[in-house]
Amino acid sequence: MPSLFATSDLHVTHEGNGPIVDEVVPDDPGDWLLVAGDVAESAKVIRGTLARLRERFAKVVWVPGNHELWTTPNDECQLRGQARYEFLVEQCREIDVLTPEDEFPVWDFGPEPLTIAPLFVFYDYSWRTPATEGKTREEALAHAREIGVVCTDEYYLHPDPYESRAAWCEQRLKVSRDRLDAIPADRRTILMSHWPLHRHPTNPLYYPDFALWCGTTQTEDWHLRYRAELAVYGHLHIPRTTSADGVRFEEVSLGYPREWRKRARGAVPVRKLLTA
């Protein structure tokens, strides 16, 4: 019977990570794979990697991470912001990989059907530390810069045509809420995103102010509101299982070689979430 697997933050262009993609394999030809963002920065590499994974798994579902949305000088694709995201969605459709813009698939191999909701919800700088609580977004960002914490998104992740990344986040929240609200009220879900939907996974961050680039307070209750069986995410490079309000949260990231080489278990390129 099929199993549901998940991975994220493969960062395949980082030396040492490329060969690990060969270890992302199913147990059974009917297995599904969730890819929670940050495959790579290059549009060509993103498509190529997802195509390889689609050849192995019966179904592959992808959501973008911040690295996929970067527009870097060396990428052949110089589209920015929303245009880049739409291009990646079309690339996925050509290789039969589902995205947040497609009909939500249903995992119906277990005790009850679960709607898998791939979400692109982004961040809006609303996750603050005590030092910046109650201050403006600009003041919070200035404080982070003063202590040497600046996400590379500030240089490569363009929000075009929106005026800011926070404004793009607001638009994505509306799109996501509308789609989630349309799921039948008696159907439980698997919420899948690159950025965590709840604040608690950021607690172990070495630099707490980095939480500014990790999510939004507007999704804090989504695991309850949308009846989540589990929530899957990446981004933090802190792979682990936690819970909030009795709901299981799974960070499924591989991370950079300098990170996974320090762990006793080494690289964990894929996690099994559910077995039929």
Side-chain angles (χ1 to χ4, degrees):
M1 294 293 290
S3 295
L4 180 65
F5 288 85
T7 187
S8 77
D9 298 80
L10 291 171
H11 295 291
V12 299
T13 57
H14 282 255
E15 186 175 357
N17 273 17
I20 292 179
V21 177
D22 293 334
E23 300 177 32
V24 183
V25 294
D27 289 342
D28 180 273
D31 291 346
W32 292 20
L33 178 68
L34 309 182
V35 183
D38 277 8
V39 173
E41 296 80 24
S42 159
K44 183 177 180 180
V45 175
I46 295 165
R47 175 187 170 122
T49 303
L50 290 173
R52 289 168 61 192
L53 296 173
R54 178 61 185 87
E55 291 173 355
R56 302 171 194 167
F57 289 85
K59 194 177 293 293
V60 173
V61 186
W62 167 84
V63 294
N66 52 315
H67 283 244
E68 277 105 343
L69 299 173
W70 286 1
T71 304
T72 60
N74 296 327
D75 192 355
E76 294 177 4
C77 176
Q78 287 295 297
L79 295 171
R80 293 161 56 121
Q82 178 70 20
R84 180 177 178 87
Y85 171 60
E86 291 175 353
F87 174 78
L88 293 173
V89 167
E90 288 304 314
Q91 294 289 294
C92 284
R93 286 173 172 167
E94 290 179 7
I95 57 175
D96 192 30
V97 169
L98 296 177
T99 77
E101 307 309 310
D102 297 310
E103 182 179 351
F104 290 163
V106 176
W107 175 261
D108 56 3
F109 301 102
E112 63 175 321
L114 300 170
T115 295
I116 297 175
L119 306 171
F120 167 28
V121 289
F122 223 8
Y123 56 82
D124 60 5
Y125 307 99
S126 57
W127 284 356
R128 307 292 179 79
T129 61
T132 58
E133 196 66 47
K135 296 187 177 181
T136 66
R137 181 183 307 144
E138 290 71 24
E139 289 172 327
L141 287 168
H143 176 267
R145 292 190 185 97
E146 288 172 7
I147 61 175
V149 179
V150 180
C151 182
T152 309
D153 291 2
E154 298 295 313
Y155 305 101
Y156 292 137
L157 204 168
H158 307 286
D160 311 28
Y162 303 95
E163 64 180 12
S164 65
R165 282 170 284 275
W168 194 5
C169 174
E170 188 64 39
Q171 188 268 346
R172 290 306 313 179
L173 286 165
K174 181 182 185 305
V175 169
S176 300
R177 279 193 295 259
D178 288 347
R179 300 206 61 199
L180 289 166
D181 286 341
I183 298 173
D186 61 349
R187 176 70 57 81
R188 292 180 62 75
T189 65
I190 296 172
L191 302 181
M192 169 193 174
S193 56
H194 178 67
W195 295 271
L197 300 176
H198 194 271
R199 178 66 185 270
H200 82 270
T202 68
N203 291 338
L205 284 175
Y206 188 78
Y207 297 104
D209 287 82
F210 189 74
L212 285 167
W213 293 274
C214 293
T216 168
T217 57
Q218 296 193 58
T219 62
E220 288 286 286
D221 69 342
W222 282 19
H223 59 293
L224 296 176
R225 185 192 306 183
Y226 297 114
R227 308 166 300 282
E229 176 72 17
L230 63 99
V232 184
Y233 67 97
H235 189 58
L236 304 181
H237 297 193
I238 310 173
R240 60 187 183 136
T241 302
T242 57
S243 66
D245 304 304
V247 177
R248 177 162 58 112
F249 281 71
E250 293 279 0
E251 176 167 349
V252 295
S253 59
L254 170 63
Y256 299 128
R258 68 174 183 270
E259 295 166 330
W260 55 256
R261 283 174 178 151
K262 295 178 181 178
R263 299 174 188 141
R265 58 182 176 172
V268 180
V270 66
R271 298 269 295 279
K272 184 183 291 187
L273 302 179
L274 297 173
T275 300

